[in-house]
Amino acid sequence: MTYCEVAVEIAHESVSRLFTYRVPEGVALAPGTRVLVPFGARKVEGYVLRVKDGPGDVPADKVREVLRPLEEYPALLPGLIDLAFWLAEETRCLPVEALRLMIPAQMRGGRVRVKATQMARLAVAPEALDAAMDSQKRAPRRLRILEALAQGDQPAARLRAISADGVTKLVSQGIVALYGAETLRRPYAPEADAAPEPELTEDQCRVLEEILPALQRGEGRFLLSGVTGSGKTEVYIRAVREVLGMGRAAIVLVPEIALTPQMVGWFRQRFGESSAVLHSRLSAGERYDEWRRIRRGEARVVIGARSAVFAPAEGLGIVIVDEEHEQTYLSDHHPRYDAREVAQRRCAAEGATLLLASATPSLKSFSRTVPTLRSSLGPLTLLEMPRRVLSRSLPDIEVVDMRGELERGNRSVFSRPLDTALRECFARGEQAMLFINRRGYSTFVSCRACGKALRCESCDVSLTYHRHEDVMRCHYCGFEQKPPETCPHCGSPAIRYFGAGTQKVEEAVRQRFPGVPAVRMDMDTTRGKDGHAKLLDTFRRGEARVLIGTQMIAKGLDFPRVTLVGVVAADATLNLPDYRSPERTFALIVQVAGRAGRAEQKGRVIVQTYDPEHYAIAAAQRQDFRAFFHTEFERRRRGLYPPFTRIARLLVEGRDAKKVQGVAEALYEETDAFLSANPRLKRQVVQMRAMEAPVKMIRGNARWQVFLKLYARGPTQAVLEKLDECKLHVYDNVNIYVEVDPANMM
Ligand code: ADP
Ligand code: ZN
Ligand code: ZN
């Protein structure tokens, strides 16, 4: 008799342990197989995590039997089961919540079906074919069917087009047999032939000389700091090829879907059918099928967004994280994992190399390359590519002080230097990109008489005006309303549209440069799987001369004819209440500047700002990552921000603001008392009093927070456990969340 331990698909604290089941007679179940099991009066899905000979300490007559396996193969690789347990510990989620990340969401609850095509084959032996044909000589269409099948198996539909009756007859006579064949849905069409491989630059060679021996040894953690246009992708490709040559697999993480068309294109050119793509915009079926191609080992190069770090690639040789500074690597919902740390854990466990890369590395990663700054994540080896390929120069960045423009009476979106530069760029027949860090026509609408902005009634944020639809929309809850004729606060008709969203920039381009075709790329124009790719193609083909976009165009795109980049409002990100604002602003400017002058012509970048002296903007202007790093690092040290501390917050939400405040204050008292009772811990923590969250209300729920900074090298675990305990307090109509190093602090 065989037994197994199953993690059941119920995300509740009370069932977080494993349950023992009997394996049915004649069924072989390997760990990692998903099964259907009886649970109380229900049938639930579960994951077999262990197989054993006896029922353990459960009385044998109490043990129930597995109903059936859900797939005929283990959906989870052994390494991924271990990873799930590590993740559950690390992010303080339930094991089953971590296990769920390891399979396509659609697989749960049997919501995806294998797509099968009915095929036909000859049911007679080859030597009996002549006799079979002979028997049909009065029926020319049946003969044609048999002739087709003599060439090989055919889709039944194709043969039915010749004669449906004929197929039925032949099947009933036992000459032809039908069977189902799985077809895999492929999200991308095959790529055209690969461009010739470039000869590596000196920098690329040097970097690969460090990476390749590490690949051979199955170790190494690197941070590749390479300026924009230094040819990082080619390094990835060569490293991946080495890995495939060793019979192993590779995962390449990219931050966002906007990046994938180009990156996917390059990888598909080089690796063809052995590459697979995983991201959230694929249809459920496509995603499931790509996942199975990886699981079966047919695809050994996986390219995908954050969650692709869990791809079932067996024999992993390398994980590459492109644009590693991006926030998108932090999951923004429970379980809140950091894909870079998961990648590191997976690499360590599976004997693979980790390669993080960026033109603007995150402060967190870069500090790990400084030997004197010990990090709990361990050191990274720094690799640098300080030059662009083919001795192309980095673009010059000019900073325009918008306060001066205002003084000179220029109230338009474009400063004079940017206006002139655009004019010259178009006159030369070249392309430009205009970058905006917001979406919508105008960020907010406010009243000139009373100064109040129009706000969402159930969220504490201003509404954004969308010109094409002529509506005001809340970006948190989706609430919409027509723009009012008069101010709802004071009744004045002096309503004014503020800010410079993508639509407003598009409008300004139309007015100033009539006849210059523009495409606008933001959340509103790029819905759907191919939304980005289509707009980018229009631009690539030269049908549009200017590309206007939100931050998503700042990443990784490579358009040789772009010689001018304008950053319309560089400080839009600078004043958000988040300690990472300077880091993000610096990265955005450098990244977006990196889109200019990637071919022969030198690029020009114009950055408009109201705060030109800010160190993030000044360092970005010089594209001086190290200078920025040193200033910012000091600021973080003084302000007790990560990486010197870990940030945690207890977030309290509920309908009744008074009650929410009361709970937040009680939680503060409770944690404060806990810390006071443990002086050793208290010295390691800075705790703020309960206060309203920066966004005071979302969907009608009031929000309060208790904010803590924990010294990174102190005993943080004990404090985090205390916070978890607080989360379990039950108050009617109030929810408590614990967030550690949250991606979004609003
Ligand atoms: P990065 O990611 O570092 O910004 P990319 O990988 O996008 O840079 O490379 C920039 C451009 O340089 C691409 O068009 C790429 O095809 C080209 N490139 C890369 N390596 C070489 C090389 N060794 N010789 C010539 N061109 C190269
Ligand atoms: Zn008003
Ligand atoms: Zn709202």
Side-chain angles (χ1 to χ4, degrees), residues 571-597:
D571 19 35
T573 42
L574 212 46
N575 300 316
L576 298 174
D578 189 314
Y579 72 92
R580 286 162 294 203
S581 293
E583 185 178 356
R584 287 181 188 153
T585 305
F586 173 83
L588 282 170
I589 296 174
V590 172
Q591 291 286 346
V592 79
R595 304 309 118 209

Short mmCIF file of all heavy atoms in Angstrom, two decimals, residues 571-597:
data_model
loop_
_atom_site.label_atom_id
_atom_site.label_comp_id
_atom_site.label_asym_id
_atom_site.label_seq_id
_atom_site.Cartn_x
_atom_site.Cartn_y
_atom_site.Cartn_z
N ASP A 571 10.21 65.99 -13.44
CA ASP A 571 9.99 65.92 -11.99
C ASP A 571 8.65 65.33 -11.60
O ASP A 571 8.33 65.27 -10.42
CB ASP A 571 10.19 67.27 -11.30
CG ASP A 571 10.10 68.43 -12.24
OD1 ASP A 571 9.30 68.33 -13.18
OD2 ASP A 571 10.84 69.41 -12.02
N ALA A 572 7.89 64.86 -12.58
CA ALA A 572 6.59 64.28 -12.22
C ALA A 572 6.75 63.16 -11.21
O ALA A 572 5.91 62.96 -10.36
CB ALA A 572 5.88 63.78 -13.47
N THR A 573 7.86 62.40 -11.30
CA THR A 573 8.05 61.28 -10.38
C THR A 573 8.81 61.68 -9.13
O THR A 573 8.90 60.90 -8.19
CB THR A 573 8.89 60.17 -11.04
OG1 THR A 573 9.96 60.78 -11.75
CG2 THR A 573 8.05 59.33 -11.96
N LEU A 574 9.35 62.89 -9.14
CA LEU A 574 10.28 63.25 -8.07
C LEU A 574 9.56 63.53 -6.75
O LEU A 574 10.12 63.36 -5.69
CB LEU A 574 11.06 64.49 -8.50
CG LEU A 574 12.48 64.63 -8.00
CD1 LEU A 574 13.27 63.36 -8.14
CD2 LEU A 574 13.16 65.76 -8.75
N ASN A 575 8.33 63.97 -6.85
CA ASN A 575 7.66 64.44 -5.65
C ASN A 575 6.66 63.46 -5.07
O ASN A 575 5.86 63.83 -4.22
CB ASN A 575 7.01 65.78 -5.94
CG ASN A 575 8.07 66.79 -6.36
OD1 ASN A 575 9.14 66.86 -5.76
ND2 ASN A 575 7.82 67.52 -7.42
N LEU A 576 6.72 62.23 -5.52
CA LEU A 576 5.83 61.23 -4.92
C LEU A 576 6.35 60.88 -3.53
O LEU A 576 7.56 60.85 -3.31
CB LEU A 576 5.78 59.97 -5.79
CG LEU A 576 5.23 60.17 -7.18
CD1 LEU A 576 5.38 58.88 -7.99
CD2 LEU A 576 3.78 60.59 -7.13
N PRO A 577 5.46 60.62 -2.60
CA PRO A 577 5.91 60.32 -1.23
C PRO A 577 6.45 58.90 -1.12
O PRO A 577 5.81 58.03 -0.55
CB PRO A 577 4.64 60.51 -0.40
CG PRO A 577 3.53 60.25 -1.35
CD PRO A 577 4.00 60.64 -2.71
N ASP A 578 7.59 58.65 -1.72
CA ASP A 578 8.18 57.33 -1.69
C ASP A 578 9.69 57.52 -1.67
O ASP A 578 10.22 58.30 -2.46
CB ASP A 578 7.75 56.55 -2.94
CG ASP A 578 8.16 55.08 -2.88
OD1 ASP A 578 9.31 54.78 -2.51
OD2 ASP A 578 7.32 54.24 -3.22
N TYR A 579 10.38 56.81 -0.78
CA TYR A 579 11.83 57.05 -0.67
C TYR A 579 12.57 56.68 -1.96
O TYR A 579 13.71 57.05 -2.16
CB TYR A 579 12.41 56.28 0.52
CG TYR A 579 12.48 54.79 0.33
CD1 TYR A 579 13.62 54.19 -0.20
CD2 TYR A 579 11.39 53.98 0.64
CE1 TYR A 579 13.69 52.82 -0.40
CE2 TYR A 579 11.45 52.62 0.43
CZ TYR A 579 12.59 52.04 -0.09
OH TYR A 579 12.64 50.69 -0.29
N ARG A 580 11.91 55.93 -2.86
CA ARG A 580 12.58 55.53 -4.09
C ARG A 580 12.41 56.53 -5.22
O ARG A 580 12.92 56.31 -6.32
CB ARG A 580 12.04 54.17 -4.55
CG ARG A 580 12.56 53.03 -3.69
CD ARG A 580 11.71 51.80 -3.85
NE ARG A 580 10.37 52.04 -3.31
CZ ARG A 580 9.55 51.07 -2.91
NH1 ARG A 580 9.93 49.82 -2.98
NH2 ARG A 580 8.36 51.35 -2.44
N SER A 581 11.71 57.65 -4.98
CA SER A 581 11.45 58.60 -6.06
C SER A 581 12.71 59.09 -6.77
O SER A 581 12.74 59.09 -8.00
CB SER A 581 10.66 59.80 -5.54
OG SER A 581 9.38 59.38 -5.15
N PRO A 582 13.78 59.50 -6.04
CA PRO A 582 14.97 59.95 -6.77
C PRO A 582 15.57 58.82 -7.62
O PRO A 582 15.98 59.05 -8.76
CB PRO A 582 15.93 60.35 -5.65
CG PRO A 582 15.06 60.64 -4.48
CD PRO A 582 13.90 59.70 -4.60
N GLU A 583 15.59 57.61 -7.07
CA GLU A 583 16.15 56.49 -7.80
C GLU A 583 15.35 56.25 -9.09
O GLU A 583 15.91 56.03 -10.16
CB GLU A 583 16.13 55.23 -6.91
CG GLU A 583 16.80 54.04 -7.56
CD GLU A 583 16.82 52.80 -6.66
OE1 GLU A 583 16.39 52.88 -5.49
OE2 GLU A 583 17.30 51.75 -7.14
N ARG A 584 14.04 56.33 -8.98
CA ARG A 584 13.21 56.09 -10.16
C ARG A 584 13.37 57.20 -11.17
O ARG A 584 13.40 56.95 -12.38
CB ARG A 584 11.75 55.96 -9.74
CG ARG A 584 11.54 54.63 -9.06
CD ARG A 584 10.10 54.44 -8.64
NE ARG A 584 10.04 53.23 -7.83
CZ ARG A 584 9.13 53.00 -6.90
NH1 ARG A 584 8.18 53.90 -6.69
NH2 ARG A 584 9.15 51.89 -6.21
N THR A 585 13.46 58.43 -10.69
CA THR A 585 13.60 59.55 -11.62
C THR A 585 14.93 59.45 -12.36
O THR A 585 14.98 59.61 -13.58
CB THR A 585 13.52 60.89 -10.85
OG1 THR A 585 12.30 60.89 -10.11
CG2 THR A 585 13.57 62.06 -11.79
N PHE A 586 15.99 59.15 -11.62
CA PHE A 586 17.30 58.99 -12.25
C PHE A 586 17.23 57.90 -13.33
O PHE A 586 17.64 58.10 -14.46
CB PHE A 586 18.34 58.62 -11.19
CG PHE A 586 19.69 58.27 -11.78
CD1 PHE A 586 20.58 59.28 -12.10
CD2 PHE A 586 20.04 56.95 -12.01
CE1 PHE A 586 21.82 58.96 -12.67
CE2 PHE A 586 21.26 56.63 -12.57
CZ PHE A 586 22.16 57.64 -12.90
N ALA A 587 16.69 56.76 -12.95
CA ALA A 587 16.63 55.64 -13.88
C ALA A 587 15.80 55.99 -15.11
O ALA A 587 16.18 55.69 -16.24
CB ALA A 587 16.07 54.40 -13.19
N LEU A 588 14.67 56.65 -14.90
CA LEU A 588 13.81 56.99 -16.03
C LEU A 588 14.51 57.89 -17.03
O LEU A 588 14.43 57.68 -18.23
CB LEU A 588 12.53 57.67 -15.53
CG LEU A 588 11.51 56.73 -14.94
CD1 LEU A 588 10.41 57.52 -14.25
CD2 LEU A 588 10.92 55.85 -16.03
N ILE A 589 15.21 58.90 -16.52
CA ILE A 589 15.86 59.83 -17.44
C ILE A 589 16.97 59.12 -18.22
O ILE A 589 17.07 59.23 -19.43
CB ILE A 589 16.42 61.06 -16.69
CG1 ILE A 589 15.26 61.85 -16.09
CG2 ILE A 589 17.23 61.95 -17.62
CD1 ILE A 589 15.69 63.02 -15.21
N VAL A 590 17.80 58.36 -17.50
CA VAL A 590 18.91 57.68 -18.18
C VAL A 590 18.38 56.66 -19.18
O VAL A 590 18.86 56.55 -20.30
CB VAL A 590 19.85 57.02 -17.15
CG1 VAL A 590 20.89 56.16 -17.85
CG2 VAL A 590 20.53 58.09 -16.30
N GLN A 591 17.36 55.92 -18.78
CA GLN A 591 16.81 54.91 -19.67
C GLN A 591 16.20 55.55 -20.91
O GLN A 591 16.40 55.08 -22.03
CB GLN A 591 15.74 54.09 -18.95
CG GLN A 591 16.28 53.19 -17.85
CD GLN A 591 17.00 51.97 -18.38
OE1 GLN A 591 16.89 51.63 -19.56
NE2 GLN A 591 17.75 51.31 -17.54
N VAL A 592 15.44 56.59 -20.70
CA VAL A 592 14.76 57.21 -21.83
C VAL A 592 15.78 57.89 -22.73
O VAL A 592 15.69 57.83 -23.95
CB VAL A 592 13.64 58.16 -21.32
CG1 VAL A 592 14.17 59.46 -20.87
CG2 VAL A 592 12.57 58.31 -22.35
N ALA A 593 16.80 58.48 -22.13
CA ALA A 593 17.86 59.10 -22.93
C ALA A 593 18.56 58.04 -23.77
O ALA A 593 18.98 58.28 -24.90
CB ALA A 593 18.87 59.80 -22.02
N GLY A 594 18.64 56.84 -23.22
CA GLY A 594 19.31 55.74 -23.92
C GLY A 594 18.61 55.31 -25.19
O GLY A 594 19.14 54.55 -25.98
N ARG A 595 17.39 55.80 -25.40
CA ARG A 595 16.68 55.45 -26.63
C ARG A 595 17.14 56.31 -27.80
O ARG A 595 16.73 56.08 -28.93
CB ARG A 595 15.15 55.62 -26.48
CG ARG A 595 14.52 54.84 -25.35
CD ARG A 595 14.91 53.39 -25.38
NE ARG A 595 15.63 53.07 -24.16
CZ ARG A 595 16.57 52.13 -24.06
NH1 ARG A 595 16.91 51.43 -25.11
NH2 ARG A 595 17.17 51.90 -22.93
N ALA A 596 17.92 57.34 -27.54
CA ALA A 596 18.32 58.26 -28.61
C ALA A 596 19.67 57.88 -29.18
O ALA A 596 20.57 57.46 -28.46
CB ALA A 596 18.39 59.69 -28.08
N GLY A 597 19.79 58.04 -30.49
CA GLY A 597 21.08 57.90 -31.14
C GLY A 597 21.68 56.52 -31.02
O GLY A 597 22.85 56.35 -30.70
#
